[in-house]
Structure formats: structure tokens, C-alpha cells
Amino acid sequence: MTLPEGPCVFEPLRDQDKKAFSCGVRELDDYLYLQASKDSQRKVAAPFVMLDRGGWILGYYTLSSYGINASELPPDVVKKLPRYPLLPATMLGPLAVSSSQRGKKLGRLLLMDALHRSWKNTLQVVSVGVIAEAYDDSARPFYLHHEFVPLADHPRMVFLAMRTIEKSPA
Ligand SMILES: CC(C)(COP(=O)(O)OP(=O)(O)OC[C@H]1O[C@@H](n2cnc3c(N)ncnc32)[C@H](O)[C@@H]1OP(=O)(O)O)[C@@H](O)C(=O)NCCC(=O)NCCS
């Protein structure tokens, strides 16, 4: 997988101005303001931000490790995997774009960066795929639009196989 050059810069969350960001969803804004840095310090989640050339946050997402029961994965994915009860996966946590920047393909760019980073990480720590958790039912179609498939027993979770990400041109 290759990532196209874009107008934005991606960095780990550090001391960028978090309060200037708003995606319009209270829970996701609060997560960035109050929790993301703590999760990073405690090694619970790795937050990444998308910045414009002036250093303002345009969007963010988090990545962490996850274990998934084979029975929860789609049958066509499981049949190509060994019968281990628990399989390694990558969790894509909250993902959000500034409400002032909607519809400019920044959400797609943010997702592509998350998938590219997840795939690069498998060179060191493997993962059968990326699981994304939508914060509510209205957010799930964004992932389904980008080839994720629903996970059994988890109405808000979706899955994209690492083999699919690896083969993706961008
Ligand atoms: C969902 C979100 C990230 C999309 O960001 P965006 O920059 O407006 O979206 P983009 O312009 O990159 O859209 C890329 C594609 O996804 C589609 N898309 C965008 N939002 C969508 C949604 N909610 N449902 C289905 N498809 C969606 C677009 O139509 C576009 O399709 P196309 O490439 O075929 O033309 C943004 O609306 C957001 O931050 N929402 C609040 C938080 C949220 O829902 N996060 C997601 C799950 S936690």
C-alpha cells in the first residue's frame, strides 16, 4: 500500500492546540481534549493528528492492539486463517475531521493514513486486520463505504482484512 502526497501532515499527538479542534460530536471532541494524551502516556492508545500547513489540527484518530475471537470475523476471512481462538488485530478508535472541513476528502485521507500506518506496523507486530468502532450508528456507513465489513455480534464494529489493505493501491 502506498499513500499519496497530500496537503496535510500526520504526526503523533503531542502539544498541538487541541482546543481549537471541533468535529461537532461532543464525545469525540472531549476524547481529544481530555483523554487522548492520557491514553498515549498509559500505552492504551496511540493518537495521531492531521495538521494543516499552519500546524492546526484538521483531524485525528487512534490505533491500539486488539484480540478478536475467530468466531466474530467474517467466514470468508476465517477460512484462510489458522484455528486459533484469539487472533491479533489492530483497533482503529475514534476518527474525526474538523466540522469546518467536511466533504473535502480529509476523512478519507485520515482513514488512508490510519490503514497505511496499521499495515506498516505489521512488519513488526502482526495483525489480521483493522477493526474500527463507530461512535454511533450514523458513523458506521463511513467505514462500510470504504470496504469495511460488519462484525458479527458487534453492531458498531467493522473489519477490513490486512491482506486487502496490503493489496490496496492507496
Ligand atoms: C465521518 C467523517 C470522518 C467523514 O469526513 P469527511 O472529510 O467529511 O469525508 P470525506 O470528504 O473524506 O468523504 C470520503 C468519502 O466518504 C463518504 N462519506 C463521508 N461521510 C460518510 C458517512 N457518514 N457515511 C457514508 N459515507 C460517507 C463521502 O461521500 C466520500 O465518498 P466518495 O469518496 O465516494 O465521494 C466526518 O464526517 C466526521 O468526522 N464525522 C464525525 C465523527 C465520525 O462520524 N467519525 C467516524 C467514526 S468514529
Side-chain angles (χ1 to χ4, degrees):
M1 182 185 192
T2 52
L3 199 59
E5 289 284 316
C8 311
V9 177
F10 293 88
E11 291 180 356
L13 177 66
R14 284 192 283 265
D15 53 358
Q16 300 93 349
D17 184 0
K18 298 192 277 274
K19 281 285 183 185
F21 175 84
S22 175
C23 73
V25 178
R26 178 76 184 271
E27 297 95 305
L28 299 182
D29 288 346
D30 283 349
Y31 178 81
L32 182 67
Y33 304 157
L34 305 172
Q35 193 61 36
S37 298
K38 289 180 191 163
D39 280 359
S40 175
Q41 282 156 15
R42 293 171 186 160
K43 310 296 179 201
V44 174
F48 295 92
V49 287
M50 175 168 63
L51 306 174
D52 68 11
R53 294 291 172 199
W56 297 103
I57 298 178
L58 298 174
Y60 81 91
Y61 65 83
T62 71
L63 293 178
S64 47
S65 296
Y66 192 75
I68 180 123
N69 289 316
S71 61
E72 293 169 292
L73 289 170
D76 60 320
V77 172
V78 171
K79 74 180 180 201
K80 295 174 194 142
L81 295 172
R83 291 171 184 270
Y84 302 148
L86 203 59
L87 292 160
T90 304
M91 172 60 77
L92 171 57
L95 177 149
V97 167
S98 166
S99 50
S100 65
Q101 303 290 328
R102 294 283 167 75
K104 298 180 182 175
K105 307 285 181 195
L106 293 184
R108 179 183 154 77
L109 194 59
L110 199 58
L111 180 61
M112 292 304 116
D113 189 75
L115 298 180
H116 186 252
R117 198 178 299 275
S118 303
W119 170 70
K120 276 196 302 182
N121 288 345
T122 63
L123 300 175
Q124 304 288 335
V125 180
V126 292
S127 160
V128 297
V130 173
I131 292 168
E133 182 163 26
Y135 81 95
D136 78 359
D137 293 342
S138 68
R140 204 174 73 134
F142 174 71
Y143 292 117
L144 300 180
H145 185 77
H146 290 94
E147 292 186 52
F148 282 75
V149 293
L151 273 189
D153 303 330
H154 295 290
R156 289 188 188 163
M157 284 188 176
V158 290
F159 176 82
L160 187 60
M162 200 57 77
R163 288 163 63 98
T164 306
I165 297 169
E166 190 170 48
K167 286 182 202 154
S168 168

